[in-house]
Amino acid sequence: MKSILVPYDFSQEAEYAFELAQELASKAACKLKLVHVVEIPTTQHFNTIGEVNLEENYVDKIFMAEMVDKRKAQMKALEELHAVKPYQFSTKISFGNPYAGIASEITEIKADLVVMGSKGSSGLEELLIGSNTEKVVRHSKCPVITVKQPTKAEDIKNIVFASDFSENSKKVIRELKDLQSLLGAELSLVKINTPNSFENTLVSKKNMQAFIKANELTNVKVEIFNSGSEEEGILEYADDVDADMIAMATHGRTGLMHLLGGSIAEDVVNAAIRPVWTMKFK
């Protein structure tokens, strides 16, 4: 792990993510970058009869200028505070769409990991607008850890990896092994059996043992867990064993395919209280 990126919007959840990222960066002795994206409002405002409201636009510009100055000062203060840390720290302020800004930064610094806060969303809100976190989880080329509560790296000792243990999981598990090694955590492999996707226990265990051998996994255990759906099963199992983190692969579908098929990983990210590690396998 050479580079960690933290999207930072000064929210409490973003602060939780930043704190976890600092601990990971210290353990890995890698680069840590904070990016804050300032979303630019539309340049013109119209009143009820269709006339351009220049006064409102002027006020918006003053507000934006003051906010940007404030953010620059806050970022500079953070850089000074982290100048003597056991990792190389930097910050950046960009302008425009938050997701686009985060995605661009992931590519630019060749991030090995993104750690970001999430409030979660559900129902109509999730269907219509989703969240920047959800979009990053869906599209990021590197692993993403989402957090909603204070999380200490030293407390992550049991990582639940929910999977079907197919060929698609091999690339994902290689990245997860690195995190497991960094944290010194136990890895719990779990296959969720549902009425619509049932697999004989002996077959599942045979596949999981082959997966362990093929990927040279250590400090690992296997479990078969029955539930009504994959999402419910993952959350229920994580609660049952009091897991410190959930790990999953995501297919990264977009557009109509995503709308029709959804994403188990994104649903878990939205619903889970504990941190969730995800990686796109395509």
Side-chain angles (χ1 to χ4, degrees), residues 29 34 38 42 54 75 78-79 85 87 106 115 127 138 142 146 182 202 207 212-213 215 249 255 269 277 279-280:
L34 216 63
V38 178
T42 55
L54 296 177
M75 291 297 214
L78 285 171
E79 288 184 350
K85 298 291 184 178
Y87 46 81
I106 291 172
V115 185
L127 179 64
R138 190 184 310 156
C142 69
T146 56
L182 184 68
L202 292 178
N207 291 338
I212 291 171
K213 183 177 179 180
N215 294 285
V269 166
W277 180 100
M279 182 177 174
K280 185 173 71 171

Side-chain angles (χ1 to χ4, degrees), residues 130-143:
S131 68
N132 290 312
T133 304
E134 193 173 307
K135 291 175 184 176
V136 173
V137 165
R138 190 184 310 156
H139 299 290
S140 176
K141 297 177 182 178
C142 69

Side-chain angles (χ1 to χ4, degrees), residues 208-234:
M208 293 166 80
Q209 291 297 339
F211 184 80
I212 291 171
K213 183 177 179 180
N215 294 285
E216 300 179 334
L217 302 181
T218 59
N219 194 14
V220 61
K221 65 180 182 181
V222 301
E223 186 72 55
I224 313 297
F225 192 82
N226 299 323
S227 186
S229 71
E230 285 89 346
E231 299 96 319
E232 291 175 356
I234 293 165

Side-chain angles (χ1 to χ4, degrees), residues 7-26:
Y8 194 72
D9 62 1
F10 296 90
S11 67
Q12 187 62 70
E13 290 80 8
E15 188 61 33
Y16 296 151
F18 184 30
E19 290 169 357
L20 175 59
Q22 291 174 58
E23 295 179 20
L24 295 174
S26 294

Side-chain angles (χ1 to χ4, degrees), residues 191-199 227-231:
K191 169 71 168 63
I192 306 298
N193 255 341
T194 68
N196 294 327
S197 181
F198 181 81
E199 186 175 74
S227 186
S229 71
E230 285 89 346
E231 299 96 319

Side-chain angles (χ1 to χ4, degrees), residues 163-181:
S163 174
D164 60 2
F165 306 101
S166 64
E167 193 70 22
N168 288 326
S169 300
K170 287 186 176 179
K171 180 183 177 183
V172 173
I173 198 64
R174 286 197 294 269
E175 295 288 342
L176 184 57
K177 278 175 62 179
D178 289 341
L179 181 66
Q180 179 196 11
S181 177

Side-chain angles (χ1 to χ4, degrees), residues 8 10 34 36 38 64-82 89 91-93 95:
Y8 194 72
F10 296 90
L34 216 63
H36 175 66
V38 178
M64 284 297 298
E66 291 177 346
M67 187 183 72
V68 169
D69 287 342
K70 179 181 178 181
R71 295 306 190 210
K72 286 181 178 179
Q74 289 173 313
M75 291 297 214
K76 183 178 179 181
L78 285 171
E79 288 184 350
E80 293 172 352
L81 183 64
H82 291 263
F89 181 72
T91 67
K92 180 178 180 178
I93 296 179
F95 301 87

